[in-house]
Amino acid sequence: MYRVYILINPSGKRYIGLSDDVAKCLADHNAGVSQWTAKHRPWSLYWTSQPMSLSDARRLESALKRQKGGRGLDTLMHQFGEASGA
């Protein structure tokens, strides 16, 4: 099962991704494994989705990325979310 996740850094930048191991992804992002997230560290987990199939997770990740923040993002987070850190 996969989860879509949102990371946030102290300046408010968000990163949306999907994984079957969110804790490992968070550690990798903070270790500088990803070129884009390395320059915006440190990251903390802001939100995770409910567990879902890979195809559903890809669709949700795409929908969240299209929202560019705002009310649509909040609606999707509420509808598919499991936890919120902020």
Side-chain angles (χ1 to χ4, degrees), residues 7-41:
L7 305 179
I8 194 163
N9 72 3
S11 69
K13 287 194 183 296
R14 293 180 184 166
Y15 177 84
I16 300 170
L18 71 90
S19 177
D20 61 347
D21 188 349
V22 175
K24 181 185 179 313
C25 281
L26 177 59
D28 287 348
H29 287 296
N30 280 320
V33 173
S34 167
Q35 288 182 349
W36 189 87
T37 58
K39 59 188 168 193
H40 300 287
R41 293 180 280 180

Side-chain angles (χ1 to χ4, degrees), residues 32-84:
V33 173
S34 167
Q35 288 182 349
W36 189 87
T37 58
K39 59 188 168 193
H40 300 287
R41 293 180 280 180
W43 293 98
S44 59
L45 186 61
Y46 180 72
W47 176 86
T48 58
S49 72
Q50 304 163 1
M52 58 186 65
S53 69
L54 179 58
S55 61
D56 288 342
R58 285 183 174 153
R59 278 192 289 275
L60 178 57
E61 178 191 30
S62 179
L64 289 169
K65 287 180 175 182
R66 284 192 309 267
Q67 294 305 311
K68 307 282 188 215
R71 297 187 111 183
L73 182 66
D74 292 340
T75 299
L76 287 170
M77 287 170 55
H78 179 72
Q79 183 177 359
F80 292 97
E82 191 165 87
S84 177

